[in-house]
């Protein structure tokens, strides 16, 4: 793919992936302390249950366990965890912050460790054996969480501390932790009666199974479906790197000598952008947008109907009008109405821009005598032609300057300038990895003090989820001594020829910086309690640090030093950078509309209440009512909307990317209003009020402390090249304490 200008992370398919239970929503799972007797004799032989050994506060024991160890380790760690919870809940002394809230923070360590490994395997090493474990364990883990939340004696103790919180002399961080624990328990049904609790647990278990099924159906469609190109003529228009990717994709599937376009975004989008074979574009486009919607055993629509029904019932049970109201209560936006207000403020200008973009493309097609009306499978192809005509900008001109490894060095340099961090690869074999493609880097601060580890898993392979994401293996904390962070960045770059540097697109470069922003959010964490660390913030705030970091890719300092030609070593020419900058707002109509259509459908599906929903009809009718341009399809149609249906985390939450981008655009202008991207004073404020505080401060307060005011919408509209309104949403209201 080619330069796309500034696009929000949602469009980059980013998910932040937290194996740790999410502190904004779930109470922490609990864990045996050292010295606690393990239940079964087999436990002592299970390497996954041991403390992480090795350097840097211990590292995951890759290479020392079998996949078959994962399930018994999860079962055993859950059981031990429940025993610990019972011990806290059954304490004879009156509840205090220390014996209840802090005690809960100290539990859950072994289960956290096992879940980390389990999460790595389900997302990056997902073969048949792992899938079988996932199918079995998903509902069990959900039930486990319910057993903690529904422990009445535990909740009474939390509630007692909560009621007394103003008299206990707590620090602000402790105050917030008490508030979060209490609120999270209530939100998950701690106040329900026994019968209601039983029903809630049953719903959660059913949902967990449905999520796993949805995820696996989607993965199966992406891994197994493809269009095989038989002859050279089918490759017309494709760049060398796309040809090579298609060739190796075919070879790895036993089709040497042919070319395969597999059904993932990273394979499909470049084809749609470059191929001059219109009928093949249509065929591949249809394959891609029909993932999970083919009326066969892997069709996801029935699962969606069930998921929506169960979510609506659960919301009612918990006392909320809809699932959307329940989900948004503890976010920065607070209500579905505020989220919709922002989306609607952006929707109309974006649609208006799409009509202009289509007119530009139609003019090109007419001029070329193509005798077509622009269809969805033409959009990327003709947008590319318009880009070349309007901005004289070509992917193949830019790509030779974007080497994956040089840009990685560029990210490290930015982390040094902004936060004083240093990165050095661990090459002494002291840190094992789960796959030979994975590299580990040690992170230190300016004084050489150890900060954490950063794992980098950049390449696509079978069994690895598509897209790019960050995974927090171990959060920072200093409750009982400093615990150093471990995070990873994961991507799906297609390996090129051996021995040649991997060249990536401008978009991929932005994705790289984006995920690194999440990693820095984890690495800079400076809190006491682990459940408040790093990225454990509300989900409409969590994409803010990552989207903000994307901006540094296009800074002069990074481009001059790290965007260097892979053959000549020459920095990217200033004229080319100017073209890139001029093209920043190009195609923003398309980008914004394909994203917002998904975000609006997500929100409206979850505002619809308990009435049965036919997803296909709902999608069609809602899009028609919104005035969806017929040349664009949702970025994620409902049957493949993994953000929303493979778990709760981003349900009624896909809007978060726009929300976060609004904040990140506003924050970037703080640098521009000062001395520029490397302004030390602004960078320090960013560190002190955003990157280091985790969830110890309410996000709205944290942002205000950084910026000196609330965020507004104007910077976002400028960033996307839309008309700037006089005033807009996302301002002047305070989020929850
Ligand atoms: Zn992200």
């Amino acid at each position: 793919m080619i330069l796309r200008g500034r696009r929000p992370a949602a469009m980059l398919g980013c998910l932040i992936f937290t194996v740790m239970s999410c502190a904004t929503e779930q109470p922490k799972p609990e864990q045996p302390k050292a010295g606690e007797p393990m239940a079964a004799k087999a436990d002592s032989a299970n390497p996954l249950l041991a403390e992480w050994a090795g350097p840097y506060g211990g590292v995951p024991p890759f290479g020392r366990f079998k996949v078959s160890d994962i399930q018994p380790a999860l079962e055993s760690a859950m059981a031990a965890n429940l025993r610990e919870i019972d011990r806290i809940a059954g304490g004879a002394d009156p509840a205090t912050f220390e014996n209840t809230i802090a005690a809960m923070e100290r539990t859950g360590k072994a289960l956290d460790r096992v879940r980390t490994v389990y999460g790595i395997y389900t997302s990056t090493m997902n073969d048949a054996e792992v899938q079988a474990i996932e199918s079995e364990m998903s509902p069990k883990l959900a039930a486990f969480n319910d057993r903690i939340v529904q422990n009445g004696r535990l909740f009474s103790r939390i509630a007692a501390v909560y009621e007394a919180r103003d008299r206990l002399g707590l620090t602000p961080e402790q105050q917030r932790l008490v508030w979060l624990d209490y609120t999270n328990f209530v939100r998950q049904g701690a106040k329900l009666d026994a019968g209601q609790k039983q029903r809630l647990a049953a719903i959660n278990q059913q949902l967990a199974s449905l999520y796993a099924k949805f995820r696996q159906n989607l993965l199966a469609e992406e891994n197994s479906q493809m269009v095989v190109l038989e002859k050279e003529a089918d490759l017309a228009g494709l760049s060398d790197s796309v040809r090579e990717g298609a060739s190796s994709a075919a070879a790895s599937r036993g089709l040497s000598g042919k070319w395969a376009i597999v059904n993932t975004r990273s394979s499909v989008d470049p084809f749609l952008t470059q191929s001059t074979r219109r009928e093949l574009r249509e065929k591949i486009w249809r394959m891609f947008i029909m993932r999970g919607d083919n009326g066969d055993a892997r069709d996801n629509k029935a699962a969606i109907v069930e998921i929506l029904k169960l979510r609506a019932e659960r919301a009612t049970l918990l006392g909320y009008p809809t699932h959307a109201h329940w989900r948004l209560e503890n976010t920065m936006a607070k209500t579905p109405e505020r989220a919709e207000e922002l989306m609607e403020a952006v929707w109309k200008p974006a649609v208006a821009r799409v009509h202009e973009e289509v007119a530009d493309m139609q003019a090109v097609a007419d001029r070329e005598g193509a005798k077509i009306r622009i269809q969805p499978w033409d959009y990327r192809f003709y947008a590319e032609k318009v880009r070349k005509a309007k901005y004289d900008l070509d992917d193949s001109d830019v790509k030779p300057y974007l080497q994956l490894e040089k840009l990685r060095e560029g990210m490290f340099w930015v982390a040094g300038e902004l936060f004083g961090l240093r990165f050095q690869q661990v090459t002494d074999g002291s840190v094992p990895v789960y796959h030979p493609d994975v590299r580990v880097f040690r992170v230190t601060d300016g004084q050489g003090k150890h900060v954490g580890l950063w794992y980098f898993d950049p390449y696509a392979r079978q069994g690895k989820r598509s897209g790019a994401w960050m995974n927090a293996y171990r959060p920072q904390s200093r409750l009982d001594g400093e615990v150093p962070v471990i995070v990873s960045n994961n991507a799906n770059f297609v390996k090129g020829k051996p021995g040649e540097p991997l060249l990536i697109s401008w978009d991929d470069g932005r994705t790289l910086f984006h995920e690194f922003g999440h990693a820095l959010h984890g690495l800079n964490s400076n809190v006491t309690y682990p459940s408040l660390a790093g990225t454990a913030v509300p989900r409409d705030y969590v994409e803010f640090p990552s989207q903000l970091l994307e901006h540094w890719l296009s800074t002069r300092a990074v481009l001059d030093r790290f965007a260097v030609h892979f053959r000549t070593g020459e920095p990217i020419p200033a004229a080319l950078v100017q073209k890139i900058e001029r093209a920043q707002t190009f195609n923003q109509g398309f980008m914004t509309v394909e994203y917002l259509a998904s975000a609006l459908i997500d929100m409206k599906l979850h505002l619809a209440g308990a009435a049965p929903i036919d997803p296909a009809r709902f999608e069609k009718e809602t899009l028609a009512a919104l005035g969806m341009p017929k040349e664009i399809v949702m970025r994620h149609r409902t049957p493949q909307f993994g953000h929303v249906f493979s778990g709760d985390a981003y349900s009624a939450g896909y809007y978060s990317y726009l929300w976060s981008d609004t904040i990140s655009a506003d924050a970037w202008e703080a640098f521009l209003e000062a001395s520029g991207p490397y302004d030390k004073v602004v960078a320090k404020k960013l560190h002190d009020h955003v990157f280091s505080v985790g969830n110890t401060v309410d996000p709205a307060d944290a942002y205000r402390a950084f910026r000196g005011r609330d965020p507004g919408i104007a910077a976002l509209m400028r960033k996307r090249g839309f008309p700037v309104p006089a005033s807009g949403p996302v301002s002047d209201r305070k989020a929850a304490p």
Side-chain angles (χ1 to χ4, degrees):
M1 267 195 306
I2 310 176
L3 301 197
R4 273 281 152 58
R6 308 188 170 204
R7 47 195 259 173
M11 302 175 181
L12 304 169
C14 162
L15 269 177
I16 185 164
F17 188 82
T18 359
V19 166
M20 288 288 303
S21 62
C22 170
T24 59
E25 193 55 44
Q26 294 166 347
K28 302 241 327 140
E30 317 306 330
Q31 231 18 284
K33 278 179 196 157
E36 171 165 339
M38 287 293 185
K41 193 183 166 197
D43 286 357
S44 59
N46 191 323
L48 286 172
L49 287 168
E51 296 267 349
W52 286 353
Y56 314 121
V59 294
F62 300 118
R64 290 207 294 277
F65 61 87
K66 299 188 295 294
V67 169
S68 58
D69 290 329
I70 294 176
Q71 184 167 346
L74 282 170
E75 305 260 19
S76 176
M78 282 192 289
N81 211 323
L82 289 172
R83 287 197 298 277
E84 272 218 333
I85 280 292
D86 283 343
R87 197 149 59 231
I88 295 173
D93 298 334
T96 64
F97 180 87
E98 204 45 41
N99 73 18
T100 304
I101 306 294
M104 283 168 56
E105 292 287 309
R106 290 192 167 89
T107 60
K109 301 303 173 212
L111 186 57
D112 288 347
R113 292 194 298 268
V114 184
R115 280 180 111 156
T116 294
V117 169
Y118 171 68
I120 291 165
Y121 272 71
T122 53
S123 60
T124 72
M125 307 284 280
N126 198 330
D127 60 12
E129 189 182 6
V130 174
Q131 280 189 22
I133 297 171
E134 195 184 8
S135 298
E136 171 120 18
M137 292 314 295
S138 271
K140 285 189 183 173
L141 286 162
F144 166 79
N145 187 54
D146 280 334
R147 283 188 64 183
I148 295 177
V149 179
Q150 301 193 352
N151 184 321
R153 288 197 299 173
L154 178 65
F155 178 65
S156 303
R157 294 180 71 85
I158 295 169
V161 179
Y162 174 76
E163 298 302 335
R165 66 193 182 284
D166 292 332
R167 303 189 296 276
L168 300 176
L170 301 177
T171 67
E173 181 176 349
Q174 290 170 333
Q175 282 264 11
R176 185 157 170 89
L177 182 59
V178 173
W179 177 81
L180 280 165
D181 276 352
Y182 176 80
T183 312
N184 291 340
F185 269 67
V186 172
R187 286 173 47 72
Q188 293 187 84
K191 284 180 161 175
L192 300 181
D193 68 30
Q196 291 171 319
K197 280 183 179 173
Q198 211 175 9
R199 180 62 195 145
L200 180 64
I203 291 173
N204 285 338
Q205 277 202 62
Q206 276 176 279
L207 281 172
S209 297
L210 288 163
Y211 297 155
K213 191 176 161 199
F214 186 98
R215 204 162 43 232
Q216 289 178 8
N217 283 343
L218 190 55
L219 191 63
E221 301 266 88
E222 293 185 346
N223 271 343
S224 66
Q225 294 178 339
M226 68 187 106
V227 170
V228 179
L229 307 176
E230 306 277 348
K231 48 189 190 300
E232 188 73 27
D234 294 341
L235 310 178
L238 302 184
S239 67
D240 288 348
S241 68
V242 172
R243 283 168 187 243
E244 281 158 20
S247 165
S248 56
S252 72
R253 288 163 176 79
L255 297 165
S256 287
K258 296 181 182 177
W259 300 267
I261 304 300
V262 296
N263 206 9
T264 60
R265 193 179 299 282
S266 55
S267 173
V268 167
D269 278 1
F271 187 89
L272 294 180
T273 307
Q274 297 174 8
S275 173
T276 56
R277 293 285 302 275
R278 191 174 191 231
E279 79 290 0
L280 286 174
R281 289 204 307 267
E282 180 175 355
K283 187 176 178 184
I284 284 166
W285 178 84
R286 289 195 187 282
M287 169 179 78
F288 189 64
I289 68 142
M290 292 305 286
R291 285 169 298 145
D293 195 13
N294 293 303
D296 55 13
R298 296 196 299 238
D299 192 296
N300 269 330
K301 291 197 292 298
I304 293 170
V305 173
E306 278 302 298
I307 288 169
L308 291 171
K309 206 175 84 187
L310 290 165
R311 282 177 175 166
E313 185 190 345
R314 182 174 59 185
T316 309
L317 196 59
L318 292 167
Y320 295 82
T322 68
H323 178 75
H325 288 87
W326 177 62
R327 289 300 304 163
L328 270 81
E329 187 192 44
N330 61 357
T331 62
M332 189 172 169
K334 294 279 283 169
T335 66
E337 290 74 24
R338 286 197 70 201
E340 283 199 306
E341 192 188 346
L342 174 65
M343 288 193 275
E344 277 157 17
V346 182
W347 174 255
K348 282 213 173 81
V351 170
R353 177 58 44 84
V354 165
H355 295 318
E356 294 168 12
E357 289 171 5
V358 171
D360 284 348
M361 294 189 292
Q362 190 64 53
V364 171
D366 293 348
R367 220 167 26 242
E368 293 181 345
K371 295 192 171 54
I372 58 155
R373 301 302 305 167
I374 298 292
Q375 298 295 331
W377 48 91
D378 300 320
Y379 210 116
R380 290 176 192 278
F381 181 73
Y382 281 99
E384 188 46 32
K385 284 176 180 276
V386 172
R387 185 201 317 271
K388 281 177 187 164
K390 255 192 174 168
Y391 303 99
D392 188 25
L393 190 57
D394 190 323
D395 186 32
S396 58
D397 293 339
V398 179
K399 236 179 166 174
Y401 295 97
L402 302 179
Q403 305 171 56
L404 174 66
E405 296 304 324
K406 291 302 279 185
L407 291 181
R408 175 185 53 70
E409 287 171 24
M411 304 190 310
F412 289 173
W413 182 79
V414 169
E417 291 297 302
L418 294 181
F419 304 124
L421 298 176
R422 302 280 175 272
F423 289 71
Q424 193 175 26
Q425 189 170 351
V426 179
T427 52
D428 60 5
S430 62
V431 180
V433 293
Y434 53 89
H435 189 280
D437 284 348
V438 181
R439 278 169 287 165
V440 183
F441 293 80
R442 185 184 176 201
V443 188
T444 51
D445 69 11
Q447 287 75 49
K449 181 174 162 277
H450 181 76
V451 170
L453 294 174
W454 181 74
Y455 288 54
F456 189 41
D457 182 3
Y459 306 123
R461 61 176 167 269
Q462 278 193 36
K464 189 174 182 181
R465 209 179 71 189
S466 65
W469 66 95
M470 171 267 200
N471 189 348
Y473 290 0
R474 181 174 64 202
Q476 175 270 338
S477 69
R478 63 172 116 71
L479 182 52
D480 299 305
E482 189 69 35
V483 174
V485 192
I486 305 179
V487 296
S488 75
N489 276 170
N490 307 269
N492 273 281
F493 296 113
V494 178
K495 266 190 190 173
K497 280 186 191 152
E500 280 195 10
L502 175 52
L503 303 178
I504 66 176
S505 69
W506 185 260
D507 276 357
D508 287 340
R510 292 183 70 88
T511 306
L512 200 63
F513 273 64
H514 175 99
E515 299 308 333
F516 193 60
H518 286 310
L520 291 175
H521 197 187
L523 287 164
N524 277 304
S525 179
N526 182 18
V527 307
T528 303
Y529 298 96
S531 70
L532 301 177
T535 52
V537 298
R539 85 195 147 276
D540 57 1
Y541 195 68
V542 75
E543 299 296 333
F544 156 43
S546 54
Q547 290 180 332
L548 180 61
L549 207 89
E550 292 176 28
H551 289 272
W552 273 269
L553 169 61
S554 55
T555 59
R556 195 66 250 181
V558 166
L559 294 175
D560 281 348
R561 295 181 55 174
F562 303 99
V564 295
H565 196 282
F566 77 107
R567 286 200 208 284
T568 66
E570 291 291 316
I572 189 166
L576 194 51
V577 175
Q578 274 170 14
K579 286 182 191 175
I580 293 170
E581 281 167 358
R582 277 211 313 273
Q584 298 269 338
T585 56
F586 176 71
N587 222 27
Q588 280 296 326
F590 175 83
M591 297 295 167
T592 306
V593 162
E594 72 157 4
Y595 158 77
L596 265 183
S598 292
L600 284 160
I601 292 276
D602 165 40
M603 191 59 79
K604 289 177 190 299
L605 277 170
H606 293 105
L607 281 169
I613 285 173
D614 171 351
R617 212 176 118 194
F618 189 93
E619 185 180 303
K620 204 171 158 213
E621 291 178 358
T622 308
L623 292 175
L626 283 167
M628 177 77 168
K630 65 179 186 336
E631 298 86 358
I632 297 182
V633 68
M634 295 163 68
R635 182 160 182 88
H636 308 280
R637 293 192 50 243
T638 42
Q640 62 233 198
F641 208 163
H643 290 77
V644 171
F645 296 112
S646 66
D648 272 334
Y650 276 79
S651 62
Y654 196 57
Y655 81 90
S656 304
Y657 292 97
L658 182 72
W659 191 274
S660 290
D661 200 33
T662 306
I663 307 169
S664 73
D666 191 69
W668 174 244
E669 291 195 348
F671 283 92
L672 303 186
E673 288 160 16
S675 71
Y678 299 95
D679 187 281
K680 296 289 179 207
V681 177
V682 182
K684 183 170 186 326
K685 278 190 189 169
L686 186 69
H687 172 270
D688 293 352
H689 299 298
V690 178
F691 275 75
S692 67
V693 297
N695 200 16
T696 61
V697 183
D698 171 76
D701 292 340
Y703 190 82
R704 213 172 287 124
F706 160 65
R707 191 69 165 104
R709 60 164 175 75
D710 288 311
I713 194 178
L716 176 85
M717 300 304 266
R718 273 192 286 278
K719 176 179 171 182
R720 297 191 183 199
F722 299 157
V724 177
S727 65
V730 192
S731 59
D732 69 27
R733 259 165 288 186
K734 205 165 151 28

